[in-house]
Amino acid sequence: MTKRQEACLSDPPFWFRCINQSCQKEFDISRKLYQCPDCSDLLDVVKNYSSIDVPKLKKLFRQRRASNDPLDISGVWRYREFLPFLEEDLIHVVTMGEGNNPVLETPRCAEYVGLKRLRVKHLGWNPTGSFKDYGMTVAVTQAKKLGSRVVACASTGNTAASMAAFCARANLRAVVFIPEGQIAFGKLSQSMDFGALTLQIQGDFDVAMDLVQELSGETDLYLMNSINPFRLEGQQTVMMELFDQLDWKIPDRIVVPGGNLGNSSSYGKALMELKELGFIDKVPRLSIIQASGADPLYRTLLTSSRDLVPVKNAWTLASAIKIGRPISWKKAVRALQFTDGWCDVVSEQEIADAKAVLGRDGIGCEPASATTVAGLKRLMELGQSLDHEVSLDPDEDVVAILTGHQLKDPEYTVNYHLDNLYQHATYENRLMKKSGKLTSTFANEPIVVPPDKDTIISMLDL
Ligand SMILES: *Cc1c(COP(=O)(O)O)cnc(C)c1O
C-alpha cells in the first residue's frame, strides 16, 4: 500500500505531503510531524475539496460576520472550510477573536512611494499585537486535539507572545526560547505576563531555532514555530479575510515583510488554493521585502541558488525579521514563482523613514512592518531606471501587510523622533558605544516649555 493510500484510507480529507518534488510522500494528518520523516524537507497540508460551492461559501462567510458565535467572530475560524479540521474537532478550538483587522487607506504613504492609492491591512491589531495570532489559534487548537501538554517555540518575540497567550487560554505549558538581549521589550513583557517559561538563549535566533527543533524531535515538546504546517494553515486565512473585505476584487500586488518566511509562504499557498478552487481568477503578485542586513532569500534568488544562501549574524533593528536562515524559504520561493513575484531589500534608513510616514497617516507599526512601504518606494525608484526589470506602476492596486503593533517596540520610535536612532549599539550593563546613526528625516521632537499659558499661545500661533 502506498503512503497516499494510507493517508486516504484514514479518511479525514486532509493529509501531510512532502514539498520535495522527488519525494512527495504523504502522511496521516494526526501525526506529530514538522518535516518529512523520509527526506526532512518541509511538509504541506493537502486538502481534498470534492464539493465546494464558491458563491455559497462567499455568502456564508459574509453572513457569519453578523453572528455572535466565537467561531464566526474569529477572522480565522470564520473561514474554517479552508482549515484542516473536521466538524467534531471544533470543540478543541482556542480563539480570542483574532483577525478582523481593517484595510485602511494610507494617502500620505501612497504619495511617499508614488502610488495613486495604497492600502494597508494591519495585522498588528490582533489580540497580542501581531499576525502570529492567525497561525497560533490554529496550531494551539491542533496541540489540544493531539493532547499535547507542553509546547515550545524559538522566537524574536511575537511568536512567543502569541503562543504564550493562546497557551494560557488553553491551559497548556508554554516554553519560549528567545535570543538574549535581542528582543523588543513589549514582546518580552507579554511572554512573562502570559505565564510562559521564558528561556533567554545566549545566542541569536538561528541558534535558538536549532535548539528547539532538536529538542522537539527528541522529546514530547510540540513545536509551534512556522515549520509546523498548522501555523501556516491559520495564516492563510489572512488572504481569505482580505479578499472578503475587498468584496473579492483582487488587488494587483500584495507586499509583505520576510523574516522566517512563514507568512509569505502561507499567502502563496492560500493563493494557489483559492485559484484552484475558483474563488479568484487573478493572482496578485507577491512582493517580499527583507532588511538588507538579513536578506537570505534575496541573496538566494539573486544567485539562482538551489540551496539557501544563509546570512551569518543577520542584522537589522527590525528585530522581527532578524533571521539569517529562514525555515520556510523553499515555500517562499514557490510562492514567488506561483505569483510571479520577487524579493527585494531595503536599508535601515529606508525602514525608519517609511515607518515615520506611516505614522503620519495615523498608523503605527513595528519597524519590520514598515519594510513594506519602504520596499514599494524602492520598487518605484528601481522601475524608473531603464535596465531594471522590476517595476511598479503608479496605477497598481496594492495592499501592504503590516505585521506588528507600534507599541511592541516604542524605544525605536522614540529614538527616531529624538534624532537618536543608531544601527548599532553595544551595551555592557550600560550603553558603551553606538554607530551608524540614522537620519531622522521626519522627526517630530517634543518641545520643552515653561508652564506658562502666554508662551504656549504665542507658540501655537493662536
Ligand atoms: C514574525 C514577524 C515577521 C516575519 O514573518 P515571517 O513569517 O517570519 O516571515 C514580520 N513582522 C513581524 C511584526 C513579525 O512578528
Side-chain angles (χ1 to χ4, degrees), residues 254-275:
I254 292 170
V255 195
V256 61
N260 220 4
L261 299 172
N263 217 19
S264 32
S265 296
S266 62
Y267 296 174
K269 184 161 178 280
L271 295 172
M272 287 177 219
E273 291 182 5
L274 289 171
K275 179 83 179 6

Side-chain angles (χ1 to χ4, degrees), residues 130-132 158-159 187 235 257-264 320-321 323 366 368-369 403-404:
S130 83
F131 77 79
K132 302 298 197 292
N158 281 336
T159 301
K187 306 177 187 180
Q235 285 168 211
N260 220 4
L261 299 172
N263 217 19
S264 32
I321 52 172
I323 292 171
E366 274 192 54
S369 311
T403 46

